[in-house]
Amino acid sequence: MKKKKTLRLLLPQWQGGDNPNYVFGSELLAHIVPQSTVSETVRISVNQDFEKDRPIEQGVKNERALMKQLDEAMAVLENKAPDKVIVLGGDCAVSQAPFDYLNGRYGGKLGILWLDAHPDVATTEETSHGHEMVLGNLLGEGAPAFAEKVKHPFQPNQVMFAGLKYEELRSRDQAVNRLNLRYVTPQDVKDSSEPILAWIKENDIQYLAVHFDLDVLSPIDFRSTYFSEPYLEEFGAAVGELTLNQIVRILTDASEQAEIVGLSIAEHLPWDAMNLRQALAKISIFDDSE
């Protein structure tokens, strides 16, 4: 049997969350993940002019940069034609291109397991941040200009949220109810993956694309997330509750019923490493200009 080809996309996209820190988080993530001598890694070009004005166009902040990066990612995927895709992000919007591509490759037998405390199904009427609309785009809603780019839209039964803080859904999140999207809260999967396995079986899902937003994790268990920023007193959205061990168990159990062919890791914010780098940059011995 021919070995399946895996492509790694390094996509340090920050514009979807309007947060330049995602660039360093993505680049560090590329060193943290298990290394491979077989899989090819392709870096997507990301504009890093953080001082430039960031206008809202077609309802989306940084729309031109996001669209350019989306087009480049899709072109790479279509050219390389991998069987599996690992995405090292970046904000949550990095999942659009690979999940769209994989849904086409696997003929609708693909399911999305969205590991996130938030659903990312907003529209331009509720937010201008692209990373809050990405799953909506894949479902044919979200931001119209980006939804139109999706060649292989997903049906609601192909989506399952895990770790969703359902009781803290905001007005921008109500497509979860309107589309009757399946979900399990942190408590639902604290000790068992069975609800996710039941969804896989009921919908005859043979392949999985996993969106792993690190903010699904509890800040007690994992510190490199938005709401673990030092001295941050309040975070304006739901805070994750799952642990790394629980995520590993969920994905191990799920992979016994459906093959994981896509994995996007998003919103890695390693505060200690970023703050140390910024601090050291102020020390004269690191100044190469002299």
Side-chain angles (χ1 to χ4, degrees):
M1 182 181 294
K2 183 180 177 181
K3 185 176 177 61
K4 289 194 172 182
K5 176 182 176 182
T6 300
L7 178 69
R8 297 183 180 205
L9 286 183
L10 177 57
L11 182 44
Q13 179 170 284
W14 59 277
Q15 296 97 334
D18 199 34
N19 188 341
N21 288 321
Y22 287 133
V23 173
F24 182 77
S26 174
E27 292 172 343
L28 183 57
L29 190 60
H31 295 280
I32 292 173
V33 296
Q35 302 300 297
S36 172
T37 58
V38 178
S39 301
E40 180 182 6
T41 299
V42 176
R43 183 187 181 109
I44 303 301
S45 304
V46 172
N47 187 315
Q48 296 185 30
D49 186 354
F50 304 136
E51 302 303 320
K52 189 175 180 180
D53 288 341
R54 307 202 279 270
I56 296 175
E57 298 179 87
Q58 301 189 75
V60 180
K61 195 168 189 178
N62 303 303
E63 187 268 349
R64 290 189 186 182
L66 288 168
M67 191 65 76
K68 182 176 182 296
Q69 289 152 202
L70 175 63
D71 287 342
E72 182 177 337
M74 283 302 301
V76 168
L77 289 164
E78 291 170 0
N79 179 55
K80 299 291 184 180
D83 302 294
K84 300 182 179 182
V85 184
I86 297 169
V87 185
L88 308 172
D91 62 62
C92 281
V94 300
S95 287
Q96 177 162 335
F99 287 13
D100 181 13
Y101 165 82
L102 289 168
N103 200 31
R105 186 164 187 83
Y106 291 103
K109 293 294 185 180
L110 182 78
I112 292 178
L113 182 58
W114 202 267
L115 302 172
D116 202 331
H118 319 104
D120 299 334
V121 291
T123 70
T124 51
E125 295 181 2
E126 298 141 346
T127 183
S128 62
H129 286 179
H131 73 151
E132 293 186 290
M133 301 182 249
V134 57
L135 183 54
N137 300 340
L138 289 165
L139 287 162
E141 299 193 355
F146 288 83
E148 289 173 5
K149 286 282 186 175
V150 177
K151 298 179 180 179
H152 310 283
F154 286 81
Q155 297 303 311
N157 69 304
Q158 289 178 269
V159 176
M160 177 73 164
F161 294 106
L164 181 70
K165 298 293 288 293
Y166 181 78
E167 69 282 2
E168 297 183 43
L169 290 184
R170 303 156 294 179
S171 59
R172 72 188 65 181
D173 304 324
Q174 291 308 309
V176 172
N177 295 316
R178 180 168 49 77
L179 297 176
N180 197 29
L181 299 173
R182 292 279 288 273
Y183 70 88
V184 284
T185 68
Q187 289 301 314
D188 293 331
V189 287
K190 179 181 178 182
D191 300 311
S192 172
S193 310
E194 187 55 38
I196 297 170
L197 305 183
W199 163 73
I200 292 172
K201 184 176 181 180
E202 289 169 18
N203 292 282
D204 191 26
I205 290 167
Q206 298 177 17
Y207 306 94
L208 279 176
V210 178
H211 174 88
F212 183 15
D213 182 343
L214 294 173
D215 74 16
V216 76
L217 298 169
S218 165
I220 299 173
D221 185 73
F222 185 79
R223 303 294 300 167
S224 297
T225 58
Y226 205 133
F227 31 71
S228 294
E229 181 178 0
Y231 306 107
L232 181 68
E233 295 182 358
E234 184 177 351
F235 185 71
V239 176
E241 292 185 10
L242 293 178
T243 68
L244 275 171
N245 284 340
Q246 288 167 337
I247 294 296
V248 170
R249 185 251 300 158
I250 287 169
L251 295 184
T252 300
D253 291 347
S255 68
E256 293 177 357
Q257 288 202 10
E259 184 179 6
I260 297 176
V261 294
L263 174 64
S264 291
I265 308 174
E267 312 219 345
H268 181 224
L269 290 170
W271 296 109
D272 288 346
M274 292 189 296
N275 290 337
L276 179 60
R277 188 187 210 190
Q278 291 168 7
L280 292 175
K282 299 174 183 177
I283 300 174
S284 61
I285 196 170
F286 289 102
D287 186 355
D288 291 333
S289 63
E290 295 182 2

